[in-house]
Amino acid sequence: AARAPGAPESRAGQRPGAAGPELGEGGGGRSPSSSASMGRLFKQYLNGQRIYSCSNCRCHTSDHDEIISKAFQGRHGRAYLFSNVVNITLGPREDRLLITGLHTVSDIYCSCCQQVLGWKYEQAFEESQKYKEGKFIIEKAKMVKEGNWQ
C-alpha cells in the first residue's frame, strides 16, 4: 500500500520469535496511518532475556541479539546498530551527511511516547556503507536494559 510522501510508517521489522502483539494503553501513533486501532496503541512485547526499551516510557524496542555493532556515534553520543526494532514510527526520509558519508535516513520515534530514538538507514551512497541499508541506529542514552543481563 502506498503512503503519502513524508508520512510515517506504523512500525518497522517484527522480530521472529517475539511475543505476540498486544494492545497497550497510549496516545496512538504519529499519524492516522499508525498501528493504533480505535484510539488504542498496538504494542509488541519481546520475550527475550535481554531487551532494550525506550528510556522515557520503557516500551520495548529491540532484543540484544539484534545488535550488529556497538561502535556507532549518534547525535548525542554512543549508539548501537540494530538489524531489527519494534514499536517505532518512521519520520520522513532525508539526506544527511554523517561521519561515514552521505546517507538517506528516516528518524525513528518510540511509538508509545514519540521520543526520537535514532534513525533508520534507508540508502547509503558509498559502496562500503551499503551494509547499513535497512538497519537502525538507537542512541544508547535513549534506551534502557530490561530483563536478565547476567
Side-chain angles (χ1 to χ4, degrees), residues 35-136:
S35 55
S37 174
M38 297 193 331
R40 299 201 66 193
L41 180 65
F42 177 87
K43 289 193 337 190
Q44 186 169 357
Y45 294 89
L46 302 175
N47 58 9
Q49 292 290 323
R50 298 182 295 174
I51 302 297
Y52 289 100
S53 300
C54 171
S55 63
N56 188 49
C57 69
R58 308 204 50 116
C59 185
H60 289 181
T61 56
S62 195
D63 188 289
H64 180 74
D65 294 338
E66 300 291 342
I67 291 178
I68 296 169
S69 174
K70 294 182 178 182
F72 277 74
Q73 188 69 27
R75 288 182 183 152
H76 309 289
R78 299 282 304 239
Y80 296 172
L81 181 69
F82 288 88
S83 60
N84 210 0
V85 297
V86 296
N87 298 322
I88 60 108
T89 55
L90 291 174
R93 291 173 157 230
E94 63 181 58
D95 289 344
R96 198 175 289 166
L97 187 58
L98 302 172
I99 294 170
T100 54
L102 184 64
H103 296 78
T104 301
V105 299
S106 298
D107 283 339
I108 60 173
Y109 301 85
C110 174
S111 61
C112 301
C113 70
Q114 305 310 309
Q115 171 178 239
V116 176
L117 299 173
W119 61 85
K120 177 182 181 182
Y121 287 102
E122 302 284 1
Q123 182 180 10
F125 294 97
E126 296 182 27
E127 195 61 38
S128 66
Q129 302 300 308
K130 293 283 187 187
Y131 76 95
K132 296 177 185 175
E133 290 181 346
K135 308 296 190 298
F136 303 85

